[in-house]
Amino acid sequence: MLDADLLLREGGVASLERRIAREPVAYILGRKGFRWIELAVDPRVLIPRPDTETLVEVALELAPEGARVHDVGTGSGAVALAMKGERPVLMVTASDASADAVDVARENARRLGLDVPISVADGLPAGEYDLVVANLPYVREDEWDALQPEIRLYEPRQALVSGEDGLDAIRSLIAQAPSGTLLALEHAPSQAESVRALLHDASSTRDLAGRERVTTGKAP
């Protein structure tokens, strides 16, 4: 009911019709709140989820003052921009394989007045980083057809699905990272054990629902 009232107030009947067709509210409004910032979003990028706030919290705890932090697969820029906004002394950079997503993230950085260089890159760009964070695709191929219409019909599939077990993108990033690189990776709760097995000195953090959502460790 609250969504309907908001859509009517801001976009009229046309917005309600879009919602009836199962288009996500965030895309209809063109914005989504994430931690303390508001991000512009559209179908070029995933809609930031509350679960991903756990990744930000873990990364902020791990990063010392002035740390060089890189966000891989930044999408709308949610993780990188939230970190920079809350810890301005961090040297945060970000990248995404999608040039369209990078355009969205750069516009969000500009609008929020946050100095976060964002580049188009497939995987981890060359550089020296104290911490690499990533919310990469982790949906299994066989899960796609069962996803909610709001996701399956509107959000970019390439930002969600990652192979038979959902871990192709995560494995690729770990393989790219120089040995000893500290990583913080979001994943599905059912994947926590598998992700820990890919890293050295790994541990997992639970989200607000008590599910293992983020794993940290060092690249082998």
Side-chain angles (χ1 to χ4, degrees):
M1 187 63 180
L2 289 176
D3 283 349
D5 290 342
L6 179 61
L7 291 172
L8 267 177
R9 186 168 65 250
E10 296 207 6
V13 174
S15 291
L16 273 183
E17 291 174 344
R18 291 170 65 183
R19 185 65 190 115
I20 290 169
R22 304 295 292 268
E23 185 172 352
V25 172
Y27 286 161
I28 298 171
L29 297 177
R31 64 181 186 272
K32 179 67 175 179
F34 182 78
R35 289 183 71 85
W36 314 114
I37 59 178
E38 186 173 79
L39 298 156
V41 294
D42 62 37
R44 292 175 291 176
V45 296
L46 289 183
I47 298 166
R49 268 70 163 173
D51 290 339
T52 302
E53 296 193 11
T54 302
L55 176 60
V56 176
E57 292 169 3
V58 168
L60 289 174
E61 289 179 4
L62 287 174
E65 295 297 295
R68 297 160 298 182
V69 181
H70 188 80
D71 175 28
V72 178
T74 196
S76 65
V79 171
L81 296 175
M83 290 188 69
K84 185 66 174 179
E86 295 177 45
R87 293 270 302 281
V89 297
L90 295 176
M91 299 172 62
V92 182
T93 55
S95 61
D96 199 289
S98 165
D100 286 339
V102 167
D103 286 343
V104 175
R106 285 174 175 167
E107 177 57 25
N108 278 322
R110 184 203 63 77
R111 186 177 51 81
L112 293 166
L114 295 171
D115 181 17
V116 176
I118 304 167
S119 61
V120 179
D122 187 6
L124 181 64
E128 294 186 3
Y129 309 112
D130 299 300
L131 173 64
V132 173
V133 300
N135 175 22
L136 295 171
Y138 55 76
V139 173
R140 301 193 317 265
E141 290 280 357
D142 64 359
E143 293 177 312
W144 177 252
D145 289 340
L147 295 177
Q148 294 177 330
E150 285 85 349
I151 298 172
R152 184 169 39 81
L153 298 179
Y154 294 97
E155 296 198 78
R157 190 181 192 278
Q158 69 272 17
L160 288 160
V161 177
S162 188
E164 191 172 318
D165 64 355
L167 294 176
D168 284 2
I170 288 176
R171 273 192 292 264
S172 178
L173 174 59
I174 293 172
Q176 282 186 309
S179 179
T181 301
L182 182 61
L183 298 109
L185 306 170
E186 181 174 338
H187 49 71
S190 61
Q191 296 167 333
E193 184 176 356
S194 296
V195 176
R196 286 195 296 269
L198 297 171
L199 298 167
H200 289 167
D201 303 323
S203 63
S204 297
T205 299
R206 297 179 183 274
D207 59 22
L208 291 177
R211 301 166 298 188
E212 291 184 312
R213 178 65 60 180
V214 175
T215 292
T216 60
K218 295 179 180 179

